[in-house]
């Protein structure tokens, strides 16, 4: 128990500049000290998501941004501003005496919830959330954060309440994350805030005119407002033998559990797909002891997203761990008698397989929507506030949302969480446009690549550092003579700065960027 009077001098006023972050000690407790707009603030020093070291992040105005996964907090009060963090940060008292900064510990609890209202029985409105992924989880809390006191019902096909889906291809699949890490919140949390989660519910129809939802059970549910964040359905490979036992996707907690048990047995696995999920799955199953072969259409992994040079480097990371690649190849068929035992490629090569992981992306799950126009890929078009019809909103993998470059649809956890949060606030009566620049991360053989922005094609790449020879690098992706995206290894602060500059419309020209990347230091010093 920390005594209320625990206090220490931590620095002099003139020792820290605006925008500076510093980890200090108050007796035996680590504290993050920050200076923003001339004011000093003291907070818990670790991100509430995965305990990233916030002193290595960036302070931009009042926005405190974690270096690992770009969770964002308000430095003034510790409140969480952006996913993937759910909780805010504990704050401590700061006082200044004789130009000396003192910090007084006020709590030994590292994180705290954003202020949420409690449900009220007299409120007759019912808001329904279809989906329990990142968008649904953050939307439910945003409704209470935005002041909605009516009934909240979350419908999910899953047998679980919202959980940490990105971990399904990483530590959890590797057996390094226990089951208790996976739920985003406790059952008590949802009960306390009146968020009713109905698991095992398959939605068969949604009529926006009648505001009625049909379920496979035959039940119907009417709503005042609804959010569709039903996510995606894993793409299947339309080849002979695709229905064989032992051919699995990697999308859900159950998928990860099944693959983990197989991986522990040291079996032979063939992975179809050489992008992020496929190679995170390859990494994790290899760590469990499986023999791993990866089949991909691209001649180089990630070539369309990260470019050939970085793709080859990342392929090399996996090959050093014993993963074999078969690139520029298609699957001709899966062989087996009841259960898969081999994968035959289009060149006739036959790869032995005790099981197969198909990681070929997802298709938006929207087939239950009535009288809602779908985009070519099955997604839905939203307005700038993520609304698709009167009282009906969309977020996450299914949402095509407007940007200065036209409609975008992004499949990533942080984006889904951000959209769910904004949609929830808007359903509660706010009018907040969704304008966040996309960000995602991937873990490839213990190396975290962070990516910000969105490029549909790569005209050129500007490098700071050499991916083939350096242990850190920054890549700027040029499309139509503008920098549309960036990726970095061990360049966390630079990636944060680029995202902040993109959101403010202050990115440099391509010509200036070619002269050097000193401009990214504008937000990091």
């Amino acid at each position: 128990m920390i005594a209320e009077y625990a206090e220490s001098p931590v620095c002099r006023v003139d020792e820290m500049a605006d925008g500076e972050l510093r980890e200090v000690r108050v007796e035996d407790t680590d504290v993050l000290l920050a200076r923003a707009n001339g004011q000093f603030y003291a907070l818990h020093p670790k991100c509430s998501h995965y305990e990233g070291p916030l002193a290595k992040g960036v302070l931009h105005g009042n926005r405190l941004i974690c270096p690992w996964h770009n969770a964002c907090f308000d430095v003034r009060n510790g409140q969480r501003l952006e996913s993937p963090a759910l909780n805010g940060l504990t704050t401590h008292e700061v006082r200044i005496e004789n130009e000396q900064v003192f910090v007084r510990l006020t709590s030994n609890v590292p994180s705290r919830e954003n202020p949420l209202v409690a449900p009220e029985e007299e409120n007759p409105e019912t808001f329904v959330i279809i989906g329990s992924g990142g968008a649904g989880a953050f939307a439910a809390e945003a409704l209470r954060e935005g002041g909605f006191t009516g009934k909240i019902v979350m419908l999910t096909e899953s047998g679980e309440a919202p959980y940490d889906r990105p971990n399904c291809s990483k530590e959890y699949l590797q057996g390094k994350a226990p089951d208790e890490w996976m739920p985003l919140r406790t059952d008590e949390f949802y009960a306390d805030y009146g968020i009713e989660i109905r698991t095992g519910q398959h939605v068969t129809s949604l009529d926006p005119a009648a505001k009625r939802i049909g379920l496979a059970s035959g039940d119907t549910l009417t709503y005042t407002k609804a959010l569709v964040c039903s996510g995606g359905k894993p793409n299947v490979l339309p080849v002979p033998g695709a229905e064989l036992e032992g051919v699995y996707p990697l999308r859900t907690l159950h998928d990860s559990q099944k693959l983990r048990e197989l991986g522990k047995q040291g079996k032979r696995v063939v992975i179809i797909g050489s992008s992020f999920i496929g190679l995170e799955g390859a990494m994790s199953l290899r760590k469990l002891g499986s023999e791993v072969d990866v089949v991909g259409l691209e001649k180089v992994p990630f070539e369309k997203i990260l470019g050939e040079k970085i793709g080859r480097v990342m392929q090399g990371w996996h090959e050093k761990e014993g993963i074999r690649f078969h690139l520029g190849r298609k699957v001709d068929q899966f062989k087996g008698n009841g259960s898969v035992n081999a994968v035959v490629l289009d060149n006739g090569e036959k790869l032995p397989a005790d099981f197969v992981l198909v990681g070929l992306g997802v298709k938006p799950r929207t087939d239950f929507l009535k009288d809602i126009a779908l985009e070519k890929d099955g997604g839905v078009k939203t307005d700038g506030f993520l609304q698709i019809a009167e009282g009906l909103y969309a977020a996450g993998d299914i949402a095509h949302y407007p940007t200065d470059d036209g409609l975008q649809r992004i499949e990533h956890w942080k984006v889904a969480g951000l959209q769910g949060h904004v949609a929830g606030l808007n359903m509660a009566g706010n009018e907040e446009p969704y304008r966040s620049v996309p960000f995602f991360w991937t873990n490839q053989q213990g190396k975290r690549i962070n990516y910000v922005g969105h490029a549909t094609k790569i005209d050129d790449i500007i490098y700071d550092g050499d991916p083939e020879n350096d242990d850190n690098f920054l890549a700027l992706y040029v499309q139509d003579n503008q920098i549309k995206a960036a990726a970095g290894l061990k360049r966390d602060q630079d990636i944060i700065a680029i995202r902040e500059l993109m959101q403010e419309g202050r990115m440099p020209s391509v010509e200036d960027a070619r002269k050097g990347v000193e401009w990214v230091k504008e937000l990091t010093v």
Side-chain angles (χ1 to χ4, degrees):
M1 182 77 178
I2 296 176
E4 290 184 4
Y5 56 81
E7 181 180 80
S8 297
V10 292
C11 74
R12 293 188 58 79
V13 170
D14 58 5
E15 290 177 347
M16 285 184 66
D18 264 356
E20 189 173 344
L21 299 168
R22 181 182 297 183
E23 193 164 305
V24 298
R25 294 279 288 182
V26 178
E27 293 194 347
D28 60 351
T29 299
D30 292 326
V31 173
L32 178 72
L33 188 66
R35 187 172 186 178
N37 301 316
Q39 298 294 313
F40 286 88
Y41 302 95
L43 309 95
H44 183 71
K46 303 294 185 183
C47 179
S48 60
H49 178 230
Y50 271 149
E51 298 192 337
L54 293 174
K56 295 183 179 180
V58 169
L59 181 60
H60 181 209
N62 295 316
R63 288 165 56 82
L64 171 61
I65 305 154
C66 176
W68 287 2
H69 308 116
N70 281 206
C72 183
F73 308 89
D74 189 328
V75 75
R76 297 168 297 183
N77 53 27
Q79 288 188 21
R80 183 259 302 148
L81 297 177
E82 292 188 8
S83 60
L86 282 159
N87 287 339
L89 304 170
T90 290
T91 58
H92 303 289
E93 293 180 10
V94 177
R95 68 179 180 89
I96 296 174
E97 181 179 326
N98 297 325
E99 297 300 303
Q100 184 77 46
V101 181
F102 290 81
V103 172
R104 175 175 293 180
L105 301 181
T106 54
S107 175
N108 61 354
V109 179
S111 67
R112 62 185 184 188
E113 299 161 9
N114 279 13
L116 306 176
V117 300
E120 298 175 350
E121 290 186 7
E122 57 268 27
N123 189 329
E125 294 184 307
T126 297
F127 286 7
V128 177
I129 298 170
I130 300 175
S132 64
F138 279 91
E141 297 192 28
L143 290 174
R144 296 297 188 220
E145 188 177 334
F148 176 66
T149 60
K151 188 176 183 179
I152 300 175
V153 178
M154 180 182 291
L155 303 173
T156 174
E157 287 194 6
S158 173
E160 295 83 22
Y163 57 86
D164 185 8
R165 181 170 288 159
N167 217 334
C168 287
S169 59
K170 303 179 182 72
E171 285 85 355
Y172 188 74
L173 179 56
Q174 296 167 26
K176 295 180 180 179
D179 288 343
E180 53 266 27
W181 279 20
M182 298 303 282
L184 297 183
R185 294 292 196 190
T186 63
D187 292 341
E188 291 76 16
F189 173 89
Y190 293 119
D192 288 345
Y193 290 107
I195 300 169
E196 180 185 352
I197 301 175
R198 300 183 186 178
T199 59
Q201 302 295 312
H202 176 66
V203 175
T204 56
S205 66
L206 186 151
D207 185 338
K211 294 189 174 181
R212 184 172 59 247
I213 296 168
L215 302 174
S217 63
D219 293 339
T220 61
L221 184 66
T222 57
Y223 63 85
T224 310
K225 294 181 182 179
L227 171 66
V228 182
C229 48
S230 43
K233 182 178 181 179
N235 291 320
V236 298
L237 200 59
V239 300
E243 75 288 347
L244 288 171
E245 180 69 26
V247 179
Y248 302 106
L250 176 50
R251 178 69 176 174
T252 68
L253 188 66
H254 177 74
D255 295 336
S256 186
Q257 291 167 343
K258 180 66 176 179
L259 291 166
R260 184 177 60 188
E261 291 308 308
L262 292 169
K264 288 179 179 178
Q265 300 172 32
K267 292 180 177 290
R268 300 167 298 180
V269 56
V270 175
I271 295 177
I272 314 301
S274 57
S275 194
F276 296 105
I277 290 298
L279 288 192
E280 285 183 358
M283 167 188 68
S284 297
L285 292 169
R286 181 63 181 153
K287 287 180 182 296
L288 289 174
S290 290
E291 292 293 318
V292 181
D293 288 273
V294 174
V295 178
L297 284 173
E298 292 182 302
K299 293 183 179 180
V300 178
F302 313 110
E303 182 177 6
K304 292 181 181 179
I305 300 172
L306 299 177
E308 181 179 354
K309 182 179 291 188
I310 294 176
R312 288 196 186 281
V313 169
M314 294 172 74
Q315 179 180 340
W317 297 343
H318 290 281
E319 288 176 330
K320 287 180 181 178
E321 301 301 323
I323 294 172
R324 299 179 289 265
F325 285 83
H326 310 264
L327 300 173
R329 299 262 65 93
K330 295 180 180 180
V331 174
D332 185 65
Q333 62 177 310
F334 298 125
K335 300 282 287 184
N337 184 16
S339 298
V340 68
N341 59 36
V343 177
V344 180
L345 305 184
D346 56 353
N347 62 354
E349 186 177 4
K350 188 175 181 180
L351 305 176
D354 297 306
F355 66 105
V356 172
L357 166 56
V358 179
L360 296 176
V362 299
K363 179 181 180 180
R365 193 189 299 267
T366 54
D367 55 346
F368 56 88
L369 294 174
K370 291 181 59 178
D371 301 323
I372 296 291
L374 302 181
E375 299 297 300
K376 289 182 179 180
D377 62 2
V380 295
K381 179 181 177 180
T382 79
D383 65 12
F385 300 91
L386 300 176
Q387 188 168 230
I388 57 177
E390 178 63 32
L392 186 62
Y393 295 75
D397 292 355
I398 71 169
H400 288 259
Y401 61 95
T403 72
D404 292 341
D405 295 322
L407 294 176
Q408 289 182 359
R409 185 176 73 84
I410 306 294
E411 298 172 1
H412 198 274
W413 185 257
K414 179 176 174 71
V415 173
L418 286 170
Q419 290 182 352
H421 184 247
V422 170
L425 291 177
N426 290 339
M427 291 169 70
N430 291 257
E431 293 185 359
E432 181 176 333
Y434 179 75
R435 293 176 177 159
S436 293
V437 171
F439 168 89
F440 72 80
W441 74 89
T442 183
N443 185 332
Q444 303 287 329
Q445 294 298 346
K447 299 177 176 64
R448 175 171 40 81
I449 297 283
N450 286 353
Y451 181 100
V452 61
H454 181 65
T456 57
K457 64 185 179 73
I458 300 174
D459 297 331
D460 194 12
I461 305 176
I462 302 170
Y463 293 101
D464 185 63
D466 183 357
E468 296 176 327
N469 297 297
D470 297 339
D471 66 351
N472 72 85
F473 59 80
L474 182 69
L476 306 174
Y477 297 97
V478 178
Q479 178 180 338
D480 300 329
N481 202 35
Q482 296 181 65
I483 299 171
K484 293 294 187 181
L489 173 66
K490 298 182 181 179
R491 300 293 287 270
D492 298 339
Q493 291 186 333
D494 293 342
I495 290 294
I496 293 171
I498 289 170
R499 181 169 183 254
E500 296 293 296
L501 291 170
M502 284 181 171
Q503 295 200 152
E504 295 177 354
R506 296 197 291 124
M507 284 292 289
S509 67
V510 172
E511 291 73 20
D512 286 343
R514 291 188 193 281
K515 299 174 185 177
V517 297
E518 291 79 9
W519 46 272
V520 301
K521 302 303 179 187
E522 180 177 346
L523 295 177
T524 59
V525 296

